[in-house]
Amino acid sequence: MSVDKLPTAVQRVVEAIPEGRENAVTREALVRALLMPDRQIRKCIQIARGAGVLIVNSGYGYYITDDLDAIERQYRQDTRRALSVLSRRKAMRKLLRDAGRL
C-alpha cells in the first residue's frame, strides 16, 4: 500500500519520521511536532508498519530505513515481544480451557 492511500493521520506521522538512524526522532518529539497524543502516534506507526512502511525503532528513536541490519534487529525485537505476549497467555488459556470456555 502506498503512503498516500493511508489515513491522513498516518500519513502525517510517516512524513514526520526521517530516513536514517542518524536522523531518528523520538515519539515524544513526534507528539510535540504533530500535536497528537502519544497513543495515536503509536497506533499510526503500527498501521504504517502493517502497510509495509519500514519504520524501525532504535534506542535513539524512530526512523525509516532499507538497511537490512536495522530491519533484522527490528524483526527480532518484534518476534521476542510477540513470543513474550504469547507466553504469558498460557496460564489464562489453561484456566479458560479447564472451565470449558475454550
Side-chain angles (χ1 to χ4, degrees), residues 1-17 34 36 40-41 43-45 47-48:
M1 174 182 286
S2 73
V3 175
D4 62 332
K5 295 188 189 256
L6 294 171
T8 304
V10 178
Q11 288 180 35
R12 288 184 60 219
V13 170
V14 170
E15 290 167 1
I17 297 175
L34 299 172
M36 294 168 66
Q40 186 177 6
I41 297 283
K43 183 66 175 172
C44 288
I45 290 169
I47 292 168

Side-chain angles (χ1 to χ4, degrees), residues 12 26 28 33 35 38 41 59 71 75 85-86 88 93:
R12 288 184 60 219
T26 64
E28 293 79 18
L35 302 175
D38 181 73
I41 297 283
I71 293 167
Y75 176 85
V85 169
L86 291 173
R88 71 177 182 233
R93 183 176 59 239

